[in-house]
């Protein structure tokens, strides 16, 4: 009993930076004194700057290396058609991304890199947002959240995709941070930032509606508890501010709320329609609401989190336990807990899909900051390294040995490797138990959490690099079950060469395309004489594999359009090989197309 109370005391003291988030009236607003700029240039600020640069590098390095996927090509091509005045529609896509792409086409021209540029920049902005929650997460907790956002496999992956997910994540976290700061400061500027962030999130993707629903449940519960306790309404810092039927906002705050609503409405209209240039953007924004309830086919979010985000998943669960054990309960940690638990239940039982993964990852990262703050805030003491440091060193050596045996088992399926791995795991558990009896369970818990941070953090960084910076057709990725083949670009190059030989121009060749695929439409967008869905005889014809032109005299060349992996089922060795080396137990299925050229168009 004495030991458990000691552990609880350690946890309580670690969470004191967020004590004002407990279910108690908000503090009074006080003016913030002006600070000299040199006082703001601290080592901590420099660390955030370095993490922002690291996140930016992870997202923009070789951004256009892979061809666009099918969903990317759809939104890119529709935006290009609208930009060229050839039609195009934002329906079924993020209207915000759709309109931004048109602006990028005007500035940079149309390319794969330009299509992915804004999501990459939005993902980089996500890295610095935890700094706005520093008072709630703690200094080390906020730095950890920023570092994890910079290197997270899932967050980097969606930042390198031409989709609205990265913009939606940026808007969601910015909304949470701005609303949180406004609840404690009552500064109108933060209210306006929350309104702008909400507009960005609503126009970027459907997942924000689930998050807003969960937040609304939390807020309703918080208000109900306050009323049952007889406390003042949220926002009523002083009795003389209560008005408007006791809502609890003074006249100045009431004006700020009105201005924020006007700002929100104006941004929704202007951003969705591209400053009224694309009226269909309003309909596209409204159709995002039912999409939030549509189910996706593919691996569930829990499977993806365990595969790509082991550090955030395990540390987040520990933070969830710390949050629920806190007495008195804190409103902030309860919000993050409800956000993750309710979101996991809804996504896992009904909706699912890869796009849900980063939206469940956000609350996990924030929850992970709680145990990380508890551990890292004590790293500076010499006593910590003399005691906990020994445990961390021995545990890390055992972990490396365990990974080595797992790698041998995945490659050779040797029973001896499996046995030695089990011995290493048993050594880790025994070491924790001995250290707890010797030095106390609180110290053992801190040392074990630091070990988990090092061990699982290394796996997370490796997974991020393999997923986002390397690509091979033999590698299976659960987040990328279908990948566009680089052969698509070779097909484009061959068509341009054939057009130049026959017509003297790169994009004047007459082409009949019997494969109506958005990727072909995107990469062949500059050709002037292209007919999709046609089977007529033309100097150049593209058809599915096995379909030949109706007349003779054609030369054919085969191109791989995409790679697709089926369910990655297998034994323990197969799963270990997939996790450690990303080698799928089955070869990917391919979809091929044929390019047919008349002999004269081939220069013969």
């Amino acid at each position: 009993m004495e030991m458990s109370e000691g552990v609880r005391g350690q946890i309580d003291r670690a969470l004191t930076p967020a004590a004002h988030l407990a279910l108690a009236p908000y503090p009074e607003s006080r003016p913030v004194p002006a600070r000299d700029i040199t006082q703001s240039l601290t080592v901590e600020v420099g660390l955030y700057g370095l993490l922002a640069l690291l996140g930016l590098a992870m997202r923009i390095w070789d951004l256009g290396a892979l061809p666009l996927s099918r969903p990317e090509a759809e939104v890119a091509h529709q935006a290009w058609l609208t930009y060229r005045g050839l039609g195009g529609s934002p329906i079924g896509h993020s209207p915000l991304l759709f309109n931004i792409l048109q602006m990028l086409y005007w500035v940079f021209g149309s390319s794969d890199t330009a299509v992915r540029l804004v999501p990459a920049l939005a993902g980089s902005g996500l890295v610095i947002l935890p700094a706005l929650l520093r008072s709630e997460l703690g200094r080390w907790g906020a730095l950890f959240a920023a570092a994890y956002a910079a290197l997270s496999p899932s967050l980097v992956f969606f930042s390198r995709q031409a989709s609205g997910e990265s913009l939606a994540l940026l808007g969601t976290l910015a909304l949470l941070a701005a609303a949180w700061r406004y609840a404690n400061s009552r500064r109108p500027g933060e209210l306006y930032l929350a309104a702008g962030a909400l507009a960005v999130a609503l126009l970027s993707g459907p997942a924000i509606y689930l998050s807003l629903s969960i937040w609304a449940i939390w807020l309703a519960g918080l208000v109900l508890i306050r009323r049952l306790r007889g406390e003042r309404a949220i926002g009523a810092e002083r009795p003389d501010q209560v008005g408007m039927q006791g809502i609890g906002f003074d006249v100045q705050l009431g004006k700020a709320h009105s201005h924020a609503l006007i700002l929100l409405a104006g941004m929704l209209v202007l951003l969705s329609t591209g400053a009224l240039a694309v009226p269909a953007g309003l309909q596209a924004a409204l159709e995002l609401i039912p999409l939030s309830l549509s189910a996706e086919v593919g691996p569930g979010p829990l499977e993806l989190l365990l595969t790509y985000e082991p550090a955030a998943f395990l540390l987040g669960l520990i933070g969830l336990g710390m949050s629920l054990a806190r007495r008195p309960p804190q409103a902030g940690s309860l919000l993050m807990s409800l956000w993750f638990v309710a979101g996991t239940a809804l996504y896992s039982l009904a909706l699912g899909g890869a796009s849900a993964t980063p939206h469940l990852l956000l609350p996990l990262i924030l929850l992970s900051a709680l145990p990380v703050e508890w551990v890292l805030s004590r790293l500076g003491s010499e006593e910590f390294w003399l005691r906990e440091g020994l445990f961390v060193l021995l545990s890390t050596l055992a972990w490396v040995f365990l990974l080595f045996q797992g790698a041998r088992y995945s490659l050779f399926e040797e029973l001896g490797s499996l046995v030695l791995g089990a011995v290493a795991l048993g050594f880790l558990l025994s070491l924790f138990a001995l250290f707890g009896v010797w030095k106390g369970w609180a110290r053992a818990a801190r040392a074990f959490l630091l070990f988990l941070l090092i061990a699982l953090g290394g796996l997370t960084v490796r997974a991020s690099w393999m997923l986002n910076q390397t690509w091979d057709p033999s590698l299976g990725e659960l987040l990328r079950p279908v990948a566009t083949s680089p052969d698509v670009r070779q097909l484009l190059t061959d068509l341009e060469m054939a057009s130049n030989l026959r017509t003297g121009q790169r994009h004047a060749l007459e082409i009949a395309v019997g494969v109506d695929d958005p990727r072909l439409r995107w990469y062949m967008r500059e050709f002037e004489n292209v007919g999709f869905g046609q089977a007529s005889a033309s100097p150049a014809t593209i058809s599915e594999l096995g379909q030949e032109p109706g007349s003779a005299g054609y030369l054919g060349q085969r191109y791989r359009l995409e790679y697709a992996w089926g369910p990655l089922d297998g034994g323990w060795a197969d799963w270990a090989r997939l996790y450690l080396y990303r080698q799928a137990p089955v070869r990917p299925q391919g979809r091929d197309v044929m390019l047919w050229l008349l002999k004269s168009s081939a220069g013969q």
Side-chain angles (χ1 to χ4, degrees):
M1 177 65 70
E2 214 170 12
M3 290 182 185
S4 62
E5 289 178 354
V7 174
R8 172 167 292 181
Q10 295 282 357
I11 296 175
D12 289 349
R13 287 192 294 274
L15 298 180
T16 51
H20 64 281
L21 295 180
L23 301 182
Y26 288 100
E28 293 186 9
S29 175
R30 294 183 177 87
V32 178
R35 299 180 60 187
D36 186 78
I37 188 172
T38 57
Q39 295 177 312
S40 300
L41 298 178
T42 62
V43 175
E44 185 178 355
V45 173
L47 289 176
Y48 279 111
L50 290 176
L51 290 174
L53 291 176
L54 176 61
L56 180 63
M58 287 290 292
R59 286 158 173 81
I60 67 172
W61 177 262
D62 215 5
L63 187 59
L66 294 181
L68 297 188
S69 64
R70 186 185 185 97
E72 290 179 294
E74 286 181 355
V75 64
H77 185 248
Q78 291 297 318
W80 183 82
L81 290 176
T82 303
Y83 167 70
R84 296 291 293 268
L86 302 174
S89 171
I91 304 299
H93 309 291
S94 162
L96 177 60
L97 178 63
F98 185 88
N99 293 317
I100 290 177
L101 287 179
Q102 297 180 65
M103 181 183 66
L104 292 178
Y105 294 158
W106 179 68
V107 176
F108 299 109
S110 58
S111 67
D112 292 355
T113 301
V115 168
R116 293 168 172 158
L117 181 61
V118 168
L121 295 177
S124 304
L126 191 69
V127 174
I128 62 175
L129 286 181
L132 300 179
L133 295 169
R134 181 181 181 275
S135 60
E136 286 73 32
L137 302 178
R139 173 186 297 176
W140 291 105
L143 279 170
F144 166 78
Y148 200 95
L151 297 170
S152 163
S154 302
L155 296 183
V156 174
F157 175 80
F158 284 101
S159 298
R160 295 172 64 88
Q161 301 293 306
S163 68
E165 296 300 332
S166 184
L167 290 165
L169 292 169
L170 178 68
T172 300
L173 190 55
L175 170 62
L176 178 66
W180 211 274
R181 292 169 65 88
Y182 173 73
N184 292 281
S185 69
R186 289 297 186 267
R187 288 193 291 263
E190 287 163 349
L191 181 62
Y192 302 149
L193 175 60
L198 178 58
V200 170
L202 290 175
L203 298 177
S204 299
I208 183 61
Y209 291 99
L210 179 61
S211 298
L212 289 177
S213 301
I214 296 173
W215 295 354
I217 294 173
W218 167 84
L219 183 60
L222 182 62
V223 172
L224 178 61
I225 292 175
R226 286 176 174 271
R227 289 192 174 183
L228 291 176
R229 292 181 176 181
E231 298 171 356
R232 294 192 297 270
I234 298 177
E237 286 83 7
R238 297 186 300 272
D240 60 340
Q241 289 182 331
V242 180
M244 298 292 292
Q245 291 78 40
I247 293 178
F249 301 107
D250 61 8
V251 175
Q252 181 179 1
L253 291 179
K255 290 182 179 179
H257 296 151
S258 300
H259 294 162
L261 289 175
I262 294 173
L263 175 63
L264 173 62
M267 290 187 66
L268 286 175
V269 173
L270 293 177
L271 293 179
S272 64
T273 61
L276 305 180
V278 186
L282 282 175
Q283 181 183 350
L286 292 175
E287 291 193 1
L288 291 177
I289 300 177
L291 287 178
S292 64
L293 300 176
S294 60
E296 294 184 31
V297 179
L302 286 181
E303 181 181 356
L304 294 171
L305 287 173
L306 284 171
T307 302
Y308 294 101
E309 313 288 351
F313 186 81
L314 188 54
L315 292 173
L317 291 182
I318 296 173
L320 176 65
M322 294 174 64
S323 169
L324 298 178
R326 179 75 169 120
R327 294 294 180 272
Q330 294 181 354
S333 56
L334 288 180
L335 170 60
M336 292 182 287
S337 301
L338 178 64
W339 187 8
F340 171 69
V341 173
T344 300
L346 291 174
Y347 280 125
S348 300
L349 297 179
L351 306 179
S355 62
T357 304
H359 296 277
L360 290 180
L361 181 60
L362 281 185
L364 270 181
I365 293 176
L366 298 179
L367 286 170
S368 300
L370 300 180
V372 170
E373 171 68 19
W374 182 53
V375 173
L376 297 187
S377 60
R378 289 159 175 78
L379 280 182
S381 64
E382 182 178 353
E383 181 183 6
F384 178 90
W385 289 110
L386 290 177
R387 295 178 177 177
E388 286 88 338
L390 177 62
F391 173 87
V392 173
L393 176 61
L394 295 176
S395 300
T396 303
L397 293 176
W399 174 253
V400 172
F401 182 78
L402 176 62
L403 288 180
F404 176 74
Q405 296 304 324
R408 283 185 58 86
Y409 176 73
S410 68
L411 294 176
F412 307 110
E413 300 188 28
E414 297 176 349
L415 182 59
S417 298
L418 196 61
V419 173
L420 290 175
V423 171
L425 181 60
F427 175 78
L428 277 174
L429 298 177
S430 301
L431 186 63
F432 173 73
L434 290 174
F435 193 81
V437 173
W438 179 34
K439 294 297 184 181
W441 294 106
R443 290 193 177 96
R446 282 198 301 268
F448 188 72
L449 286 175
L450 181 58
F451 158 69
L452 285 180
L453 183 61
I454 296 173
L456 298 182
L459 289 180
T460 301
V461 172
R462 182 176 182 274
S464 183
W465 183 264
M466 293 187 67
L467 173 65
N468 298 294
Q469 305 299 333
T470 61
W471 187 83
D472 187 278
S474 64
L475 302 183
E477 294 288 356
L478 296 178
L479 272 176
R480 192 191 291 122
V482 178
T484 303
S485 170
D487 285 1
V488 173
R489 290 173 173 168
Q490 185 60 49
L491 170 62
L492 174 65
T493 300
D494 292 345
L495 283 172
E496 290 176 338
M497 292 178 59
S499 178
N500 194 41
L501 288 172
R502 183 175 178 83
T503 67
Q505 301 180 34
R506 293 178 61 192
H507 301 115
L509 181 66
E510 183 182 349
I511 308 173
V513 184
V515 183
D516 193 2
D517 189 281
R519 289 164 292 192
L520 295 179
R521 287 182 177 271
W522 166 252
Y523 285 106
M524 298 172 62
R525 63 191 179 278
E526 298 292 347
F527 282 88
E528 303 169 358
N529 303 309
V530 178
F532 282 88
Q534 297 182 3
S536 58
S538 299
T541 300
I542 298 177
S543 65
E544 295 281 2
L545 186 65
Q547 298 179 0
E548 300 182 4
S551 57
Y554 281 89
L555 297 176
Q557 177 64 44
R558 181 175 177 174
Y559 297 86
R560 176 61 51 90
L561 179 60
E562 69 181 23
Y563 293 94
W565 287 265
L568 302 179
D569 298 326
W572 287 103
D574 292 327
W575 279 106
R577 194 179 304 114
L578 174 66
Y579 188 81
L580 293 174
Y581 301 106
R582 291 297 184 266
Q583 293 181 1
V586 295
R587 295 184 60 84
Q589 301 295 318
R591 181 188 175 193
D592 296 341
V593 296
M594 291 293 297
L595 169 62
W596 301 94
L597 293 175
L598 280 175
K599 292 181 179 180
S600 58
S601 67
Q604 298 183 4

